Amino acid sequence: MKTITGNVWRFGDNIDTDLIIAARYLNSSDPAHLAKYVMEDADPDFVNRLNPGDIIVAGENFGCGSSREHAPIALKAAGVSAVIAKSFARIFYRNAFNMGLPIFELPQSDEIAEGEKITVYLESGEIVTPKGSYKFSPIPPFMQELIQAGGLIAYAKAEIAAGGNA
């Protein structure tokens, strides 16, 4: 995956992990179960309107709160192809890559409107919108490999199967 294209869903600042997937649904870690409730407390109808490949664009501190891995699992399982935000909570940032969910920090994220179709070019670090393009620091090659593999566990399994040193 060298590009990601999808329609934008907007959220604001400080979207915490409990808004991404409420604690009341954590009685299971099954991705399909979590996907049914993603972003429910922020937008009760979100999961019904979300299309596979759509992209969440948010403000500052996306993924703050608890360190649960369920948040990026739920987003990915629901069909969210990427999250773009001004900034991410550090533990969410790491968990997202571990789960294979691409995320991108973009200081100008508030300039991207809901409903726009955008394309993210991973290697060049560019996001193209109907109104123009934005540069971000490209994801390091190893992190791109994690995304390509589907997350850290899938990457390690593939490396072991190939006789590598995962």
Side-chain angles (χ1 to χ4, degrees):
M1 160 184 23
K2 300 198 188 261
T3 63
I4 299 169
T5 299
N7 293 317
V8 170
W9 292 93
R10 290 281 326 178
F11 290 93
D13 295 336
N14 301 309
I15 299 298
D16 66 34
T17 53
D18 211 38
L19 280 176
I20 296 169
I21 185 69
R24 65 184 172 275
Y25 299 120
L26 300 182
N27 56 343
S28 169
S29 59
D30 175 43
H33 169 77
L34 298 172
K36 295 188 285 187
Y37 307 106
V38 73
M39 305 303 285
E40 181 179 85
D41 288 348
D43 179 348
D45 202 36
F46 174 75
V47 76
N48 297 320
R49 296 179 292 138
L50 178 70
N51 291 309
D54 285 353
I55 298 169
I56 289 178
V57 177
E60 295 182 20
N61 204 25
F62 189 89
C64 58
S66 75
S67 62
R68 65 178 68 128
E69 293 175 338
H70 297 78
I73 291 171
L75 290 167
K76 185 177 173 185
V80 172
S81 65
V83 179
I84 299 167
K86 285 184 181 185
S87 64
F88 292 91
R90 294 294 88 183
I91 191 69
F92 180 87
Y93 185 90
R94 187 64 217 182
N95 282 340
F97 283 102
N98 284 348
M99 297 302 124
L101 176 67
I103 61 174
F104 309 96
E105 290 186 326
L106 182 70
Q108 306 90 343
S109 68
D110 56 353
E111 297 176 21
I112 300 173
E114 182 156 309
E116 288 183 331
K117 187 170 193 167
I118 65 172
T119 300
V120 180
Y121 295 91
L122 276 71
E123 290 181 346
S124 64
E126 184 177 23
I127 298 170
V128 177
T129 76
K131 295 180 288 211
S133 64
Y134 302 91
K135 293 295 270 178
F136 63 91
S137 294
I139 298 169
F142 174 70
M143 301 291 260
Q144 288 188 40
E145 288 180 41
L146 288 180
I147 292 168
Q148 289 286 99
L152 183 60
I153 300 297
Y155 175 84
K157 285 180 180 178
E159 283 290 304
I160 291 167
N165 297 322

